[in-house]
Amino acid sequence: MRSVSKIFLCAWLLFVSASAFSLDVIGDRDTIPTGSVTLLDDYEKGNYWIWAAFDFEMWGPSKLSTSARVTSQWASQGKQSLECRFIESSATSANDGMYYMDYLWNFAGTKYLVVDVYNPNSKPFDFTVAFQVTDNWNWAQMHTVTVEPGEHTIVLDVTVLTNPIDVVRRINLCYIENARMNGHFYVDNLRLIK
């Protein structure tokens, strides 16, 4: 009888702890979709991300992004996440920031992109993900989501993209200023669901 009670207690504690660490799901769905999951980055093995700033002036005004670095300040899973820093806009700057990683992926058959985001700021910001696809690096952007302060899991519908995603050259995490501020946010557990 004692071993049955211990098993029940362990199962209950596991359930309670899992519920305590679940994040608010926002975006194109209010639940995390089921399916085959491919982890793109959990930020545990290093930093492969770059921020766009003055070096993007050939494409328009300077971006607001100032750094992309791995940190242990917050993580939804594991011990690390990507901290994305930004500055407030000015009269001559853009109103967005980008944090990107280049590679050559085939995302054919993907239905959703899911990422955990923590906004420690007192104000919300808008967020989206865009792929640059084909050998022409065409822009393929998903819906924009408002990220309120707090921890969230963002679900973006990849099937809305009209460009093919069998040749993806770049993933862009896009911060869009909603209210002027200097700040930062964290992303973790970037994954695809087929």
Side-chain angles (χ1 to χ4, degrees), residues 51-150:
W51 67 95
F54 62 87
D55 53 338
F56 269 58
E57 287 180 344
M58 65 191 322
W59 310 111
S62 292
K63 299 292 183 188
L64 303 180
S65 33
T66 60
S67 75
R69 62 184 182 183
V70 172
T71 181
S72 60
Q73 294 296 312
W74 177 84
S76 63
Q77 292 186 353
K79 296 181 180 178
Q80 299 184 137
S81 65
L82 184 70
E83 180 185 27
C84 302
R85 292 188 166 272
F86 56 85
I87 57 173
E88 70 179 41
S89 64
S90 69
T92 59
S93 72
N95 71 338
D96 64 334
M98 289 191 314
Y99 313 86
Y100 63 92
M101 178 171 59
D102 294 345
Y103 193 66
L104 179 57
W105 297 277
N106 180 346
F107 293 162
T110 298
K111 295 178 183 169
Y112 297 98
L113 181 138
V114 181
V115 62
D116 300 332
V117 176
Y118 171 43
N119 175 5
N121 307 292
S122 62
K123 300 174 186 173
F125 61 86
D126 289 341
F127 179 86
T128 189
V129 175
F131 298 147
Q132 287 182 258
V133 299
T134 75
D135 290 335
N136 294 326
W137 294 64
N138 296 329
W139 189 262
Q141 182 174 318
M142 289 162 247
H143 294 136
T144 300
V145 176
T146 299
V147 180
E148 297 291 339

Side-chain angles (χ1 to χ4, degrees), residues 2 16 25 27 33 36 39 41 53 55 77 82 123 145 165 174 188-189:
R2 282 192 161 200
V16 169
V25 179
S36 172
L39 182 66
D41 205 343
D55 53 338
Q77 292 186 353
L82 184 70
K123 300 174 186 173
V145 176
I165 56 173
C174 305
D188 198 10
N189 201 17

